[in-house]
Amino acid sequence: MRKIIIAGNWKMNKTASEAVKLATLLTRDLADITEVDIVICPPFTALADVHDVVTDTNIGLGAQNLYWEDEGAFTGEVSAPMIKESGAQYVIIGHSERRQFFGETDQTVNKKIKAALKWNLTPIVCVGENLEQREKNKTFDVVSGQCKGSLAGFTAQEMEKMVIAYEPVWAIGTGKTATPAQAQEVHKFIRELISKMHNEDVASSVRIQYGGSVKPENTAELISQEDIDGALVGGASLSSDSFVKIIKNARK
Ligand code: PEP
């Protein structure tokens, strides 16, 4: 039985003091949740402060990106050991906004996953098609290419340590959610692909989150799908009210 994992991607929102306030509310309102792995991903500048708030609680901490080298002349970048020392246990890799606006490719995603695993950070690896690709019936080709490219060269043991997030780009921040059936279809496809790349045991243990306009009202139905093991939540993770409701509604 895979445990549900809900992660909040705060994107470029919240100063450190605002982030501490939101994290404090979440620790209070989610303290009794044991059935869901809860993760919040504030901006880099808030990681250490939010870590102080969530230490010894049921809320995990993640970063939103990393660079694959440990250190060096890479102005503006942040490495896995830096993230690790800030107290995070997770890192989002290959989010569609990074692919779209910052030139991230399956090859850079692959290097970043390697760096994350080296430093014992759990990668949340994002894949998903855009609207044009969906309309041209290219969804499975695109997702398959992204998975094969991003997840190439890892052992079964490494694969088991990852979380995959299927995020149709057309559903991110648009208010349009994939129907539970549309999402389930792609999740099942990804799981079968992992089975082919490794084996059935690995495929059945890897958690696959859905992301794209997840709200309190659509959470339960999405999560009830067999291959949907949680959610990566953007907009609705920025208020404690809606994020708490999403987590409560996600309990299968
Ligand atoms: C995301 O950023 O990963 C996301 C799914 O955003 P939203 O929930 O706002 O669509």
Side-chain angles (χ1 to χ4, degrees):
M1 190 60 185
R2 297 179 294 271
K3 190 172 180 188
I4 297 296
I5 176 166
I6 306 279
N9 172 15
W10 294 1
K11 309 194 186 191
M12 199 179 72
N13 294 291
K14 310 285 177 195
T15 63
S17 62
E18 290 165 347
V20 162
K21 272 188 206 143
L22 176 53
T24 305
L25 289 176
L26 294 174
T27 56
R28 185 194 67 188
D29 295 342
L30 293 170
D32 59 339
I33 302 285
T34 53
E35 316 90 308
V36 177
D37 282 339
I38 307 163
V39 183
I40 52 177
C41 303
F44 288 129
T45 46
L47 280 177
D49 288 349
V50 172
H51 177 245
D52 291 342
V53 177
V54 300
T55 303
D56 296 328
T57 72
N58 57 343
I59 299 183
L61 185 65
Q64 300 171 17
N65 181 32
L66 86 174
Y67 191 66
W68 56 82
E69 296 289 348
D70 287 352
E71 61 184 3
F74 303 102
T75 302
E77 294 295 322
V78 176
S79 72
M82 294 170 183
I83 292 169
K84 186 76 190 174
E85 199 177 294
S86 74
Q89 305 94 25
Y90 296 83
V91 57
I92 299 171
I93 299 178
H95 189 278
S96 65
E97 286 150 17
R98 299 230 41 101
R99 292 177 187 260
Q100 203 179 336
F101 304 129
F102 303 100
E104 202 130 301
T105 63
D106 294 333
Q107 287 67 42
T108 60
V109 169
N110 186 269
K111 288 184 188 188
K112 290 181 178 197
I113 298 172
K114 268 188 205 133
L117 292 173
K118 176 180 162 197
W119 287 92
N120 214 12
L121 291 163
T122 299
I124 298 178
V125 183
C126 303
V127 296
E129 81 288 1
N130 63 29
L131 185 60
E132 191 190 347
Q133 292 161 336
R134 175 156 283 262
E135 283 173 347
K136 287 188 175 156
N137 288 322
K138 295 269 185 245
T139 298
F140 294 116
D141 288 348
V142 170
V143 170
S144 156
Q146 288 173 335
C147 287
K148 285 182 186 158
S150 305
L151 306 175
F154 294 106
T155 64
Q157 223 183 355
E158 288 172 326
M159 185 70 237
E160 269 173 342
K161 292 182 182 154
M162 301 183 209
V163 173
I164 307 295
Y166 167 59
E167 300 205 300
V169 180
W170 49 271
I172 296 181
T174 57
K176 283 187 205 156
T177 320
T179 65
Q182 276 175 323
Q184 164 60 22
E185 190 184 30
V186 182
H187 281 235
K188 184 164 182 270
F189 174 80
I190 294 171
R191 203 175 299 288
E192 285 167 359
L193 197 62
I194 295 171
S195 180
K196 282 182 206 142
M197 290 169 79
H198 295 282
N199 58 57
E200 226 172 280
D201 281 354
V202 176
S204 65
S205 73
V206 169
R207 293 185 291 180
I208 308 176
Q209 299 176 306
Y210 168 77
S213 298
V214 172
K215 305 182 255 305
E217 307 79 55
N218 57 25
T219 303
E221 211 191 341
L222 285 161
I223 297 290
S224 71
Q225 303 296 308
E226 193 180 336
D227 291 292
I228 301 186
D229 309 311
L232 181 54
V233 186
S237 71
L238 292 173
S239 102
S240 66
D241 255 20
S242 51
F243 196 56
V244 166
K245 280 188 193 140
I246 285 172
I247 285 158
K248 294 196 168 164
N249 292 349
R251 293 175 294 186
K252 279 213 185 188

